[in-house]
Amino acid sequence: MKVVLKNLTKIFPSRSKKAGEEVVAVNNFNFEIPDGKLIGLLGPSGCGKSTTLYMISGLQKPSSGQIFFGEEDVTELSTENRGIGLVFQNYALYPHMTVKQNILFPLQNLRGKDKMSKEAMLERAYEAARLVQIEELMERKPSELSGGQQQRVAIARALVKMPQVLLLDEPLSNLDARLRLQTREEIRRIQKETKITTIFVTHDQEEAMSISDMIVVMKLGVVQQIGAPQDVYDNPANLFVAKFLGTPPINVFEGCVKEGKLYIGDDCVMDVAGAEDQEVYVGVRPEGFVVDENGPMHCVPTNLEVMGRDVSVVATHAASVNPQVRSIINSDINVRSCMESGEIRYTLKSHKTFVFNKETEERVYFEVK
Ligand code: ATP
């Protein structure tokens, strides 16, 4: 089922004069979510991710704009009539019911033509349990399950009604690191198996990048960029997106473009033909530095962190916005002599170096060689 958001906007009115201004939680969101894909809604706390999800679910009414499931306008439809499955951060299972009863619950509430026989309900419940691999836990109570297992029950409960759209709001944030990793792979597997259009909200960029077909990066209610995770990482539209994606994060420097050359502080680091003269921020991904004894960028190394296949050189540069510049270098390259000499010089990879206008923070494009 494709989902279309048309000029979707949510404004929360100010509660009182004292409480200040109204909040534009989601501002004119336009997007066509293709059928059968997993979309990651991503952004820092308060950027409007959950509000977007709640509007798609029908739990919140848009201030303006429309939501379509396929060709049908569902904007005015109640949550129950949208054919969605919802999973929240806190699993919200009924504590007095067994796993089986929890999963059966949405089916038992079906009325009229949707009403199912007991056998059919059980069959569906076991099918959903099999999908999330909890068949052997069906007789337990939620308190007898781990966090990861509880979350899988919540997913089974959302899947049992065979939703057209599955909505997940930070479903992994109550899990420890190992379980998070495992459960996110599970979610991906289940989504691929069921081919249900899925929208997944998270503030964790790594999580979103690892399982999504497409990510939507939001800031203060405004969509910043939509695309395949790798494309957005390789081609950020603005400084916010560049900074939000990537671990370790992108290195940001103050610089300028002058007569087709890019300067970081006093270092003339690269040709940027096609870019106009201006003050800029320069973002360099940690993997964008090449150690080069004649390289144009001069840094002062302060620390070396060995990470097996790679080493991470921590350095300083007068034009760096952050106290540290972090590069990731193949461990075959000997950087020890640089550490001893007190200077490390780099050439920058042009496809890992992004230039942003200093005022607008929008990307400045140049001819990549
Ligand atoms: P988080 O990751 O912290 O859950 P989020 O990106 O999901 O954040 P939302 O919960 O969608 O963000 O909130 C977006 C903005 O709308 C925030 O500024 C929030 O304070 C505001 N907001 C959300 N719900 C309400 C409400 N019921 N009344 C007033 N303002 C609200």
Side-chain angles (χ1 to χ4, degrees):
M1 172 71 67
K2 87 174 171 189
V3 175
V4 182
L5 312 180
K6 242 188 195 169
N7 306 325
L8 197 63
T9 299
K10 179 71 183 178
I11 300 170
F12 290 108
S14 135
R15 284 233 171 78
S16 63
K17 279 217 170 104
K18 249 194 185 161
E21 310 244 309
E22 57 186 23
V23 177
V24 184
V26 177
N27 194 349
N28 205 25
F29 194 158
N30 285 291
F31 184 31
E32 182 169 324
I33 301 168
D35 180 29
K37 297 289 180 199
L38 195 159
I39 303 300
L41 276 187
L42 180 62
S45 181
C47 72
K49 312 178 288 290
S50 300
T51 306
T52 303
L53 201 77
Y54 295 162
M55 287 194 283
I56 298 172
S57 72
L59 290 173
Q60 263 172 8
K61 211 174 140 33
S63 308
S64 58
Q66 287 168 295
I67 301 161
F68 293 85
F69 284 4
E71 302 307 318
E72 187 189 3
D73 184 345
V74 299
T75 319
E76 298 297 326
L77 223 54
S78 68
T79 302
E80 302 78 59
N81 293 325
R82 288 195 187 191
I84 52 156
L86 255 176
V87 179
F88 294 102
Q89 172 179 347
N90 53 352
Y91 328 115
L93 300 176
Y94 302 109
H96 58 286
M97 292 185 187
T98 63
V99 167
K100 184 159 74 186
Q101 289 165 336
N102 264 285
I103 300 174
L104 281 171
F105 189 75
L107 300 181
Q108 287 162 338
N109 280 333
L110 295 175
R111 296 283 173 261
K113 65 173 176 39
D114 295 329
K115 199 168 162 52
M116 294 172 73
S117 72
K118 211 168 169 195
E119 292 71 38
M121 283 195 278
L122 267 177
E123 198 176 310
R124 274 271 198 92
Y126 272 94
E127 201 183 319
R130 181 197 54 77
L131 207 57
V132 301
Q133 296 173 346
I134 50 161
E135 297 129 291
E136 70 287 0
L137 306 174
M138 291 295 254
E139 300 308 327
R140 289 206 205 167
K141 293 268 175 68
S143 61
E144 296 162 338
L145 302 176
S146 72
Q149 290 167 334
Q150 290 186 46
Q151 194 54 299
R152 282 196 255 166
V153 177
I155 294 169
R157 196 178 53 180
L159 290 174
V160 78
K161 272 169 71 177
M162 299 191 163
Q164 314 190 61
V165 180
L166 183 62
L167 304 172
L168 307 166
D169 190 6
E170 300 262 9
L172 308 178
S173 49
N174 284 354
L175 307 180
D176 68 38
R178 199 176 54 85
L179 254 182
R180 263 184 105 109
L181 213 71
Q182 199 184 331
T183 315
R184 83 183 187 202
E185 280 158 20
E186 285 275 284
I187 289 178
R188 185 53 168 159
R189 178 186 61 76
I190 295 163
Q191 195 274 332
K192 281 208 158 141
E193 226 175 296
T194 58
K195 298 194 178 64
I196 298 175
T197 307
T198 301
I199 304 167
F200 180 100
V201 161
T202 177
H203 61 270
D204 181 334
Q205 53 99 14
E206 203 188 317
E207 197 163 281
M209 301 232 340
S210 66
I211 67 167
S212 308
D213 293 307
M214 283 172 106
I215 54 170
V216 177
V217 185
M218 298 181 74
K219 175 191 171 190
L220 295 172
V222 180
V223 172
Q224 304 292 303
Q225 194 167 358
I226 299 177
Q230 193 66 46
D231 291 346
V232 179
Y233 179 83
D234 289 340
N235 245 319
N238 58 39
L239 183 61
F240 176 84
V241 175
K243 285 191 341 195
F244 200 74
L245 299 185
T247 7
I250 197 163
N251 298 283
V252 182
F253 303 90
E254 289 184 304
C256 67
V257 174
K258 229 186 269 167
E259 294 168 3
K261 307 268 184 213
L262 178 65
Y263 290 82
I264 291 180
D266 296 330
D267 296 335
C268 178
V269 292
M270 194 184 286
D271 282 347
V272 284
E276 288 181 9
D277 289 7
Q278 60 198 297
E279 298 286 306
V280 296
Y281 285 115
V282 185
V284 185
R285 295 270 182 222
E287 66 275 23
F289 296 89
V290 180
V291 178
D292 174 358
E293 61 184 33
N294 299 313
M297 186 154 176
H298 301 65
C299 291
V300 178
T302 55
N303 200 10
L304 195 65
E305 292 169 9
V306 180
M307 307 185 294
R309 193 163 47 93
D310 299 320
V311 294
S312 174
V313 178
V314 182
T316 59
H317 188 284
S320 174
V321 170
N322 306 102
Q324 292 182 331
V325 178
R326 191 176 281 272
S327 62
I328 294 178
I329 310 289
N330 190 302
S331 62
D332 292 345
I333 295 164
N334 183 5
V335 288
R336 298 236 173 242
S337 58
C338 305
M339 300 301 293
E340 282 154 20
S341 74
E343 183 181 72
I344 187 160
R345 292 177 66 170
Y346 295 113
T347 299
L348 302 182
K349 295 180 191 170
S350 53
H351 65 289
K352 293 284 179 185
T353 302
F354 310 116
V355 179
F356 306 96
N357 179 276
K358 199 161 188 179
E359 233 164 85
T360 63
E361 300 190 356
E362 292 299 316
R363 182 90 174 268
V364 174
Y365 291 92
F366 57 89
E367 289 166 26
V368 174
K369 291 205 177 123

